[in-house]
Amino acid sequence: MVGLVVFKLDSPILVLLVCVAYISVLGAISTSMLFEEFKTKYLLSDGQVLGMSVDFEQKQISLRLNARVLNGKKAERCEIKLHLNESFELDLVDTLDMEWHSDMVFIRLENGEFYLSFDPFGNSGLPNDSDNFVIKCKGVELFHDGKQYKLE
């Protein structure tokens, strides 16, 4: 049964409490995280791509990754999800038998776009025309432990 309840919100504090309750019901609140902070806190090398989905309508690629997160000085295994938004390039030629990746490249290009490769050519840490499993996008969102972060 669906009902409509109308409240008279005559207090700014009451309005704030209602808004906070509504947002908490909707799920995680998105906050920003600097890309450099992400790279120092989350380690994607020596990880694993667990799953990938492409939503052509939303222009979004979702990756589920086995990564590591730094907890103090200790790196602990964790599962994270990345939403790569406004994807404009996906280059994947693979047999998909790669269980773990040791090297990877995840950088922000000079034009502000993100570049991600799970099968880079060489160990330079920079984009290369011979890289494989490449995704370029304009926006990245991180989901971990029930929290959502937009990488800036």
Side-chain angles (χ1 to χ4, degrees):
M1 181 172 151
V2 177
L4 176 65
V5 179
V6 178
F7 293 98
K8 182 178 179 186
L9 301 176
D10 54 2
S11 163
I13 293 175
L14 186 58
V15 170
L16 178 63
L17 289 174
V18 169
C19 289
V20 168
Y22 180 72
I23 290 171
S24 66
V25 167
L26 290 178
I29 298 173
S30 178
T31 57
S32 294
M33 177 186 289
L34 293 176
F35 183 59
E36 293 306 316
E37 179 185 351
F38 168 81
K39 289 178 64 173
T40 58
K41 186 173 182 176
Y42 292 91
L43 307 172
L44 302 184
S45 59
D46 296 323
Q48 184 179 26
V49 178
L50 300 171
M52 180 176 101
S53 64
V54 180
D55 186 330
F56 293 102
E57 191 174 34
Q58 297 291 322
K59 296 181 180 166
Q60 181 181 79
I61 296 172
S62 296
L63 292 172
R64 201 167 48 90
L65 305 172
N66 184 341
R68 293 175 293 156
V69 63
L70 288 178
N71 235 348
K73 293 184 178 182
K74 185 178 177 186
E76 299 175 351
R77 286 270 170 219
C78 66
E79 186 174 310
I80 64 172
K81 189 179 221 182
L82 294 179
H83 284 184
L84 308 166
N85 302 308
E86 299 178 53
S87 299
F88 68 91
E89 184 176 322
L90 171 60
D91 183 10
L92 176 59
V93 179
D94 206 302
T95 59
L96 300 179
D97 61 356
M98 170 181 69
E99 289 190 32
W100 293 87
H101 56 268
S102 57
D103 293 331
M104 52 84 53
V105 174
F106 192 22
I107 65 169
R108 195 145 198 193
L109 301 172
E110 288 181 13
N111 63 7
E113 295 168 338
F114 294 93
Y115 180 97
L116 177 61
S117 173
F118 288 104
D119 189 10
F121 180 81
N123 294 321
S124 70
L126 298 172
N128 186 299
D129 289 339
S130 297
D131 288 350
N132 189 23
F133 203 145
V134 174
I135 303 169
K136 291 182 185 177
C137 64
K138 295 179 183 176
V140 177
E141 291 175 304
L142 163 70
F143 297 84
H144 179 234
D145 278 347
K147 297 177 185 164
Q148 176 181 353
Y149 303 94
K150 181 178 180 181
L151 300 186
E152 301 285 331

